[in-house]
Amino acid sequence: MTIRVLIADDQEMVRTGFRMIVDSQPDMEVVGEAADGAEAVALARRLRPDVCLFDIRMPKMDGLEATRLLAGPDVAEPLRVVIVTTFDMDEYVYGALRGGAAGFLLKDGGPALLVEAVRAAANGEALVSPSVTVRLLEHLARPVAAPAPPPGEPLTERELDVVRLVARGRTNEEIAGELFVSLSTVKTHLGSVHRKLGTRNRVEVAAWAWESGLGR
């Protein structure tokens, strides 16, 4: 299956670079480009791409608002958006993740990381730039001003183990290895976690973990 990608960035050179990287992959194709956030939202709603690559600072509408409109908690059929930006700022990271983004990359991360993030998003996974992940892990050690609400149904100890590892950026395969369980068991636990927390992807699970203080 070919992964259909929409690119939104106000710099033509960046869009061209991303297009070259994406189109060079045998399983990916760029189906549209936008130079501002409003155009990105309109194109995304019309084309329904598998993955959207959005910059943050764009004219007319920024990438965070565009992400919220396409992937936010109130969206009936959310799209998968990966934020790719020059700006490594905490408020941007949390704004993107809480807005439903399926990844957060820095533009200096390189082509391989970009391709990996697109594939992860298309598979319902999430990828965050390593440098950003390190800072988010440091956040785990700090007090949380507004803890996340408890789930309607308590998580089991094993489900909490899975949540902690998701918050550390582990893949399903890595979680299976660390917990000495099968990959299908990890997926079953994650499905139960999503149901209990009302989350739709790994990023939302990780955000809940950070806000709950898990993994300190």
Side-chain angles (χ1 to χ4, degrees), residues 3 5 17-28 51 53 82 84 105 109-123 127:
I3 302 171
V5 179
F18 285 176
R19 174 182 281 275
M20 291 177 62
I21 294 169
V22 171
D23 282 343
S24 70
Q25 302 302 307
D27 59 339
M28 298 179 189
V51 178
L53 297 176
V82 175
V84 190
L105 302 182
L113 196 63
L114 181 70
V115 169
E116 185 180 354
V118 170
R119 290 202 177 102
N123 290 326
L127 189 149

Side-chain angles (χ1 to χ4, degrees), residues 18-156:
F18 285 176
R19 174 182 281 275
M20 291 177 62
I21 294 169
V22 171
D23 282 343
S24 70
Q25 302 302 307
D27 59 339
M28 298 179 189
E29 67 170 334
V30 174
V31 295
E33 293 184 18
D36 63 70
E39 182 185 11
V41 171
L43 270 179
R45 286 172 171 167
R46 179 165 60 86
L47 298 174
R48 301 297 298 178
D50 299 305
V51 178
C52 302
L53 297 176
F54 284 1
D55 188 19
I56 287 183
R57 294 188 178 178
M58 295 188 289
K60 298 183 181 179
M61 180 188 298
D62 66 30
L64 299 181
E65 177 65 10
T67 298
R68 188 186 66 79
L69 291 175
L70 296 172
D74 299 327
V75 179
E77 297 181 1
L79 293 173
R80 292 160 181 164
V81 180
V82 175
I83 294 292
V84 190
T85 182
T86 307
F87 305 100
D88 183 11
M89 299 169 62
D90 284 355
E91 59 264 37
Y92 285 162
V93 177
Y94 286 101
L97 300 186
R98 297 310 292 168
F104 191 100
L105 302 182
L106 300 181
K107 287 181 179 176
D108 61 4
L113 196 63
L114 181 70
V115 169
E116 185 180 354
V118 170
R119 290 202 177 102
N123 290 326
E125 304 284 333
L127 189 149
V128 177
S129 281
S131 61
V132 176
T133 301
V134 169
R135 198 171 67 250
L136 292 176
L137 292 179
E138 292 173 349
H139 173 80
L140 290 173
R142 300 201 296 267
V144 179
E153 181 182 345
L155 302 183
T156 67

Side-chain angles (χ1 to χ4, degrees), residues 1 16-17 62-63 69 74 78 97 133 157 171 180 193 196-197 213:
M1 183 192 77
T16 300
D62 66 30
L69 291 175
D74 299 327
L97 300 186
T133 301
E157 284 301 317
T171 64
F180 302 103
V193 167
K196 292 179 178 180
L197 298 182

